[in-house]
DNA sequence: CCGGATCCGTTTCGATACTG
DNA sequence: CAGTATCGAAACGGATCCGG
Protein backbone atom coordinates (compact mmCIF):
# COMPACT_ATOMS: atom_id res chain seq x y z
CA UNK A 1 0.00 0.00 0.00
CA UNK A 2 2.16 2.90 -1.20
CA UNK A 3 1.04 5.90 0.76
CA UNK A 4 2.33 8.63 -1.51
CA UNK A 5 0.49 7.58 -4.65
CA UNK A 6 0.54 10.24 -7.37
CA UNK A 7 -2.81 11.17 -8.88
CA UNK A 8 -2.50 9.74 -12.36
CA UNK A 9 -6.18 10.43 -12.85
CA UNK A 10 -7.30 11.95 -16.12
CA UNK A 11 -10.88 13.00 -15.86
CA UNK A 12 -12.10 15.28 -18.57
CA UNK A 13 -13.98 17.24 -15.92
CA UNK A 14 -12.59 18.46 -12.59
CA UNK A 15 -15.96 17.86 -10.97
CA UNK A 16 -15.79 14.23 -11.97
CA UNK A 17 -12.25 14.01 -10.67
CA UNK A 18 -13.45 15.30 -7.32
CA UNK A 19 -16.38 12.90 -7.26
CA UNK A 20 -14.12 9.97 -8.02
CA UNK A 21 -12.33 10.73 -4.78
CA UNK A 22 -15.03 11.78 -2.34
CA UNK A 23 -18.30 11.19 -4.22
CA UNK A 24 -19.78 8.83 -1.68
CA UNK A 25 -21.73 8.88 1.54
CA UNK A 26 -18.84 8.76 3.98
CA UNK A 27 -15.61 10.38 2.87
CA UNK A 28 -16.64 13.96 3.50
CA UNK A 29 -18.09 13.08 6.89
CA UNK A 30 -14.62 11.94 7.94
CA UNK A 31 -13.17 15.19 6.61
CA UNK A 32 -15.83 17.10 8.54
CA UNK A 33 -14.91 15.31 11.76
CA UNK A 34 -11.28 16.32 11.27
CA UNK A 35 -12.02 19.84 10.08
CA UNK A 36 -14.79 21.00 12.40
CA UNK A 37 -14.81 18.64 15.34
CA UNK A 38 -11.20 18.12 16.16
CA UNK A 39 -11.37 14.38 15.85
CA UNK A 40 -8.15 12.55 15.19
CA UNK A 41 -8.50 8.89 15.93
CA UNK A 42 -10.26 5.87 14.51
CA UNK A 43 -12.42 5.55 17.58
CA UNK A 44 -13.42 9.23 17.41
CA UNK A 45 -14.81 8.85 13.90
CA UNK A 46 -16.84 5.85 14.99
CA UNK A 47 -18.50 8.06 17.58
CA UNK A 48 -20.26 10.36 15.11
CA UNK A 49 -24.01 10.27 14.77
CA UNK A 50 -23.94 8.61 11.38
CA UNK A 51 -22.57 5.35 12.80
CA UNK A 52 -20.09 4.36 10.15
CA UNK A 53 -19.07 0.69 10.27
CA UNK A 54 -15.48 -0.11 11.18
CA UNK A 55 -14.62 -1.74 7.88
CA UNK A 56 -16.09 1.15 5.90
CA UNK A 57 -14.21 3.67 8.01
CA UNK A 58 -10.95 1.76 7.57
CA UNK A 59 -11.38 1.73 3.81
CA UNK A 60 -12.27 5.41 3.60
CA UNK A 61 -9.30 6.39 5.73
CA UNK A 62 -7.05 4.43 3.39
CA UNK A 63 -8.61 5.99 0.35
CA UNK A 64 -8.38 9.52 1.71
CA UNK A 65 -4.75 8.92 2.58
CA UNK A 66 -4.01 7.40 -0.83
CA UNK A 67 -5.47 10.52 -2.39
CA UNK A 68 -3.37 12.84 -0.27
CA UNK A 69 -6.25 14.32 1.70
CA UNK A 70 -5.27 13.02 5.13
CA UNK A 71 -2.11 11.77 6.80
CA UNK A 72 -1.76 8.86 9.16
CA UNK A 73 0.73 9.15 11.99
CA UNK A 74 1.54 7.26 15.11
CA UNK A 75 1.13 9.36 18.20
CA UNK A 76 4.50 10.72 19.31
CA UNK A 77 3.80 10.14 22.99
CA UNK A 78 1.95 6.86 22.78
CA UNK A 79 3.10 4.65 19.92
CA UNK A 80 0.04 2.44 20.25
CA UNK A 81 -2.24 5.22 19.09
CA UNK A 82 -2.77 6.52 15.58
CA UNK A 83 -3.65 10.09 14.67
CA UNK A 84 -5.08 11.33 11.42
CA UNK A 85 -4.64 14.87 10.16
CA UNK A 86 -5.69 16.88 7.14
CA UNK A 87 -3.07 17.73 4.55
CA UNK A 88 -3.03 21.04 2.69
CA UNK A 89 -5.05 19.36 -0.02
CA UNK A 90 -7.54 18.25 2.59
CA UNK A 91 -7.75 21.68 4.18
CA UNK A 92 -8.50 23.04 0.72
CA UNK A 93 -11.77 21.13 0.90
CA UNK A 94 -13.01 23.62 3.48
CA UNK A 95 -14.90 25.77 0.93
CA UNK A 96 -16.60 22.68 -0.47
CA UNK A 97 -17.70 21.55 2.98
CA UNK A 98 -18.87 25.02 3.95
CA UNK A 99 -21.00 25.37 0.83
CA UNK A 100 -22.53 21.94 1.33
CA UNK A 101 -23.30 22.74 4.95
CA UNK A 102 -24.83 26.09 4.04
CA UNK A 103 -26.96 24.47 1.34
CA UNK A 104 -28.12 21.69 3.63
CA UNK A 105 -28.92 24.11 6.43
CA UNK A 106 -30.96 26.29 4.09
CA UNK A 107 -32.89 23.62 2.26
CA UNK A 108 -33.18 20.64 4.55
CA UNK A 109 -34.70 20.25 7.97
CA UNK A 110 -31.77 19.56 10.22
CA UNK A 111 -31.34 19.77 13.92
CA UNK A 112 -28.93 22.51 13.09
CA UNK A 113 -26.07 23.64 15.29
CA UNK A 114 -27.13 27.24 14.99
CA UNK A 115 -24.19 29.50 15.63
CA UNK A 116 -21.55 28.16 13.27
CA UNK A 117 -24.16 27.88 10.53
CA UNK A 118 -25.09 31.53 10.91
CA UNK A 119 -21.42 32.45 10.82
CA UNK A 120 -20.99 30.46 7.64
CA UNK A 121 -23.96 32.07 5.94
CA UNK A 122 -22.86 35.53 6.95
CA UNK A 123 -19.20 35.23 6.01
CA UNK A 124 -18.02 32.01 4.48
CA UNK A 125 -14.54 33.27 3.72
CA UNK A 126 -13.97 34.15 7.34
CA UNK A 127 -14.92 30.63 8.37
CA UNK A 128 -12.60 29.13 5.80
CA UNK A 129 -9.79 31.44 6.87
CA UNK A 130 -10.33 30.49 10.49
CA UNK A 131 -10.09 26.82 9.60
CA UNK A 132 -6.81 27.37 7.77
CA UNK A 133 -5.41 29.35 10.68
CA UNK A 134 -6.37 26.71 13.15
CA UNK A 135 -4.65 24.00 11.14
CA UNK A 136 -1.56 26.07 10.53
CA UNK A 137 -1.14 26.54 14.27
CA UNK A 138 -1.76 22.87 14.93
CA UNK A 139 0.64 21.49 12.32
CA UNK A 140 2.99 20.19 15.00
CA UNK A 141 0.33 18.42 17.03
CA UNK B 1 -44.35 8.77 -6.79
CA UNK B 2 -45.50 12.08 -5.37
CA UNK B 3 -43.39 14.75 -7.00
CA UNK B 4 -43.66 17.42 -4.36
CA UNK B 5 -42.47 15.35 -1.43
CA UNK B 6 -41.63 17.42 1.64
CA UNK B 7 -38.18 16.83 3.08
CA UNK B 8 -39.03 15.13 6.36
CA UNK B 9 -35.37 14.45 6.82
CA UNK B 10 -33.88 15.02 10.25
CA UNK B 11 -30.16 14.74 10.02
CA UNK B 12 -28.30 16.10 12.97
CA UNK B 13 -25.78 17.59 10.55
CA UNK B 14 -26.56 19.67 7.45
CA UNK B 15 -23.60 18.11 5.68
CA UNK B 16 -25.06 14.69 6.20
CA UNK B 17 -28.44 15.91 4.96
CA UNK B 18 -26.76 17.11 1.78
CA UNK B 19 -24.87 13.86 1.36
CA UNK B 20 -28.05 11.85 1.77
CA UNK B 21 -29.38 13.62 -1.30
CA UNK B 22 -26.42 13.95 -3.64
CA UNK B 23 -23.63 12.03 -1.94
CA UNK B 24 -22.98 9.65 -4.80
CA UNK B 25 -21.02 9.44 -8.02
CA UNK B 26 -23.70 10.70 -10.40
CA UNK B 27 -26.21 13.16 -8.99
CA UNK B 28 -23.98 16.21 -9.17
CA UNK B 29 -22.86 15.33 -12.68
CA UNK B 30 -26.49 15.61 -13.79
CA UNK B 31 -26.75 18.96 -12.02
CA UNK B 32 -23.55 20.04 -13.75
CA UNK B 33 -24.97 19.11 -17.15
CA UNK B 34 -28.02 21.25 -16.43
CA UNK B 35 -26.13 24.10 -14.84
CA UNK B 36 -23.10 24.52 -17.04
CA UNK B 37 -23.82 22.70 -20.25
CA UNK B 38 -27.40 23.58 -21.07
CA UNK B 39 -28.53 19.98 -21.21
CA UNK B 40 -32.21 19.35 -20.68
CA UNK B 41 -33.11 15.89 -21.90
CA UNK B 42 -32.51 12.29 -20.92
CA UNK B 43 -30.52 11.65 -24.05
CA UNK B 44 -28.35 14.71 -23.45
CA UNK B 45 -27.25 13.43 -20.06
CA UNK B 46 -26.37 10.08 -21.57
CA UNK B 47 -24.01 11.89 -23.92
CA UNK B 48 -21.60 13.10 -21.25
CA UNK B 49 -18.10 11.69 -21.01
CA UNK B 50 -18.79 9.76 -17.84
CA UNK B 51 -21.18 7.35 -19.58
CA UNK B 52 -23.91 6.98 -16.99
CA UNK B 53 -26.12 3.93 -17.46
CA UNK B 54 -29.74 4.50 -18.41
CA UNK B 55 -31.22 2.94 -15.30
CA UNK B 56 -28.91 4.88 -13.02
CA UNK B 57 -29.75 8.10 -14.82
CA UNK B 58 -33.46 7.39 -14.54
CA UNK B 59 -33.20 6.76 -10.85
CA UNK B 60 -31.08 9.82 -10.19
CA UNK B 61 -33.48 12.04 -12.11
CA UNK B 62 -36.33 10.70 -9.99
CA UNK B 63 -34.40 11.23 -6.83
CA UNK B 64 -33.34 14.76 -7.72
CA UNK B 65 -36.94 15.57 -8.56
CA UNK B 66 -38.24 13.98 -5.36
CA UNK B 67 -35.82 16.19 -3.46
CA UNK B 68 -36.92 19.34 -5.23
CA UNK B 69 -33.65 19.95 -7.06
CA UNK B 70 -34.94 19.51 -10.60
CA UNK B 71 -38.31 19.65 -12.34
CA UNK B 72 -39.57 17.34 -15.02
CA UNK B 73 -41.80 18.82 -17.72
CA UNK B 74 -43.14 17.69 -21.05
CA UNK B 75 -41.96 19.90 -23.85
CA UNK B 76 -44.66 22.45 -24.69
CA UNK B 77 -44.12 22.14 -28.43
CA UNK B 78 -43.50 18.42 -28.65
CA UNK B 79 -45.37 16.36 -26.07
CA UNK B 80 -43.21 13.33 -26.76
CA UNK B 81 -40.19 15.04 -25.33
CA UNK B 82 -39.32 15.61 -21.70
CA UNK B 83 -37.30 18.53 -20.40
CA UNK B 84 -35.58 18.79 -17.06
CA UNK B 85 -34.79 22.07 -15.34
CA UNK B 86 -33.15 23.20 -12.14
CA UNK B 87 -35.36 24.58 -9.38
CA UNK B 88 -34.26 27.43 -7.13
CA UNK B 89 -33.04 24.81 -4.69
CA UNK B 90 -31.05 23.24 -7.50
CA UNK B 91 -29.60 26.54 -8.64
CA UNK B 92 -28.49 27.10 -5.05
CA UNK B 93 -26.10 24.20 -5.56
CA UNK B 94 -24.00 26.40 -7.83
CA UNK B 95 -21.54 27.40 -5.07
CA UNK B 96 -21.07 23.74 -4.13
CA UNK B 97 -20.35 22.76 -7.73
CA UNK B 98 -18.01 25.70 -8.26
CA UNK B 99 -15.97 24.87 -5.18
CA UNK B 100 -15.73 21.21 -6.14
CA UNK B 101 -14.63 22.15 -9.65
CA UNK B 102 -12.05 24.59 -8.35
CA UNK B 103 -10.70 22.00 -5.94
CA UNK B 104 -10.53 19.32 -8.60
CA UNK B 105 -8.86 21.64 -11.07
CA UNK B 106 -6.25 22.62 -8.49
CA UNK B 107 -5.44 19.23 -7.07
CA UNK B 108 -6.14 16.64 -9.72
CA UNK B 109 -4.74 16.18 -13.19
CA UNK B 110 -7.64 16.88 -15.47
CA UNK B 111 -7.83 17.68 -19.12
CA UNK B 112 -9.06 21.01 -17.87
CA UNK B 113 -11.41 23.26 -19.81
CA UNK B 114 -9.21 26.25 -19.13
CA UNK B 115 -11.19 29.43 -19.43
CA UNK B 116 -14.18 28.81 -17.18
CA UNK B 117 -11.89 27.32 -14.55
CA UNK B 118 -9.74 30.42 -14.50
CA UNK B 119 -12.86 32.54 -14.24
CA UNK B 120 -14.00 30.45 -11.30
CA UNK B 121 -10.71 30.69 -9.48
CA UNK B 122 -10.50 34.43 -10.04
CA UNK B 123 -14.05 35.30 -9.07
CA UNK B 124 -16.35 32.54 -7.90
CA UNK B 125 -19.16 34.83 -6.89
CA UNK B 126 -19.31 36.34 -10.37
CA UNK B 127 -19.63 32.86 -11.87
CA UNK B 128 -22.40 31.93 -9.44
CA UNK B 129 -24.19 35.20 -10.13
CA UNK B 130 -23.95 34.62 -13.87
CA UNK B 131 -25.49 31.17 -13.43
CA UNK B 132 -28.38 32.61 -11.44
CA UNK B 133 -28.95 35.31 -14.06
CA UNK B 134 -28.93 32.85 -16.89
CA UNK B 135 -31.54 30.68 -15.18
CA UNK B 136 -33.70 33.60 -14.21
CA UNK B 137 -33.86 34.65 -17.85
CA UNK B 138 -34.55 31.11 -19.01
CA UNK B 139 -37.30 30.31 -16.50
CA UNK B 140 -39.89 30.23 -19.26
CA UNK B 141 -37.94 27.98 -21.57
C1' DC C 1 -8.42 -1.36 25.14
C1' DC C 2 -7.18 0.50 20.04
C1' DG C 3 -7.06 0.09 15.21
C1' DG C 4 -8.26 -2.24 12.26
C1' DA C 5 -9.07 -7.13 9.20
C1' DT C 6 -12.13 -10.81 7.93
C1' DC C 7 -16.39 -13.07 7.21
C1' DC C 8 -20.87 -13.05 5.34
C1' DG C 9 -25.79 -11.92 4.45
C1' DT C 10 -28.16 -7.92 2.41
C1' DT C 11 -28.54 -3.89 -0.42
C1' DT C 12 -27.25 -1.09 -4.14
C1' DC C 13 -24.91 -0.35 -8.45
C1' DG C 14 -24.33 -0.60 -13.19
C1' DA C 15 -23.91 -2.80 -18.16
C1' DT C 16 -26.82 -4.54 -21.40
C1' DA C 17 -31.09 -5.81 -23.48
C1' DC C 18 -35.51 -4.64 -24.10
C1' DT C 19 -40.10 -1.83 -24.42
C1' DG C 20 -44.07 1.80 -25.01
C1' DC D 1 -36.82 9.15 -27.13
C1' DA D 2 -37.33 8.01 -22.43
C1' DG D 3 -37.11 5.09 -19.83
C1' DT D 4 -37.76 -0.70 -17.51
C1' DA D 5 -36.21 -5.37 -16.70
C1' DT D 6 -32.74 -8.32 -15.73
C1' DC D 7 -28.89 -10.04 -13.49
C1' DG D 8 -24.06 -10.29 -12.08
C1' DA D 9 -20.74 -7.32 -9.54
C1' DA D 10 -19.72 -4.31 -6.10
C1' DA D 11 -20.58 -1.95 -1.84
C1' DC D 12 -22.66 -1.88 2.61
C1' DG D 13 -22.78 -2.98 7.37
C1' DG D 14 -23.12 -5.89 11.54
C1' DA D 15 -20.49 -9.25 14.01
C1' DT D 16 -16.51 -11.15 15.16
C1' DC D 17 -11.65 -11.84 15.40
C1' DC D 18 -6.88 -10.37 16.02
C1' DG D 19 -2.10 -8.18 16.64
C1' DG D 20 0.06 -4.83 19.57
Amino acid sequence: MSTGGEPKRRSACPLNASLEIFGDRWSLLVVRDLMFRGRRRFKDFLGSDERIATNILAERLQRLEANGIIERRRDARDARRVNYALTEKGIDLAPVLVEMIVWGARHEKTAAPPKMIRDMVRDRDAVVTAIRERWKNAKDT
Side-chain angles (χ1 to χ4, degrees), chain A residues 7-8 27 39 45 53 71-72 75 87 98 111 126 129 133 137:
Chain A
K8 277 295 182 297
S27 298
R39 303 195 173 167
F45 303 129
E71 280 178 10
R72 182 184 194 276
D75 192 297
T87 62
V98 167
T129 302
E133 277 307 311
N137 297 335

Side-chain angles (χ1 to χ4, degrees), chain A residues 60-74:
Chain A
R60 290 306 189 280
L61 288 169
Q62 284 179 15
R63 184 129 71 99
L64 289 170
E65 189 188 14
N67 283 292
I69 289 169
I70 64 174
E71 280 178 10
R72 182 184 194 276
R73 309 171 186 161
R74 296 209 166 273

Side-chain angles (χ1 to χ4, degrees), chain A residues 43-80:
Chain A
K43 179 108 179 286
D44 297 336
F45 303 129
L46 291 179
S48 286
D49 283 344
E50 294 85 6
R51 310 261 104 213
I52 189 171
T54 61
N55 55 341
I56 305 295
L57 174 58
E59 199 219 308
R60 290 306 189 280
L61 288 169
Q62 284 179 15
R63 184 129 71 99
L64 289 170
E65 189 188 14
N67 283 292
I69 289 169
I70 64 174
E71 280 178 10
R72 182 184 194 276
R73 309 171 186 161
R74 296 209 166 273
D75 192 297
R77 292 177 286 279
D78 183 347
R80 294 173 307 178

Side-chain angles (χ1 to χ4, degrees), chain A residues 9-125:
Chain A
R9 225 172 288 271
R10 284 269 166 206
S11 274
C13 170
L15 177 63
N16 189 45
S18 298
L19 290 169
E20 283 178 4
I21 296 177
F22 54 78
D24 69 270
R25 280 281 289 110
W26 297 109
S27 298
L28 290 185
L29 293 177
V30 173
V31 175
R32 172 204 65 184
D33 284 352
L34 285 160
M35 191 174 286
F36 297 105
R37 303 183 173 180
R39 303 195 173 167
R40 302 284 144 107
R41 306 218 321 278
F42 194 91
K43 179 108 179 286
D44 297 336
F45 303 129
L46 291 179
S48 286
D49 283 344
E50 294 85 6
R51 310 261 104 213
I52 189 171
T54 61
N55 55 341
I56 305 295
L57 174 58
E59 199 219 308
R60 290 306 189 280
L61 288 169
Q62 284 179 15
R63 184 129 71 99
L64 289 170
E65 189 188 14
N67 283 292
I69 289 169
I70 64 174
E71 280 178 10
R72 182 184 194 276
R73 309 171 186 161
R74 296 209 166 273
D75 192 297
R77 292 177 286 279
D78 183 347
R80 294 173 307 178
R81 291 169 186 256
V82 175
N83 292 324
Y84 292 92
L86 291 170
T87 62
E88 280 296 315
K89 186 175 174 181
I91 295 169
D92 280 350
L93 283 172
V96 174
L97 280 261
V98 167
E99 294 299 344
M100 288 180 62
I101 290 166
V102 166
W103 185 91
R106 172 175 301 165
H107 291 289
E108 299 296 316
K109 305 268 183 243
T110 59
K115 181 171 184 320
M116 174 170 267
I117 302 287
R118 284 201 309 275
D119 288 349
M120 285 183 182
V121 173
R122 197 181 314 127
D123 192 347
R124 299 152 202 227
D125 291 346

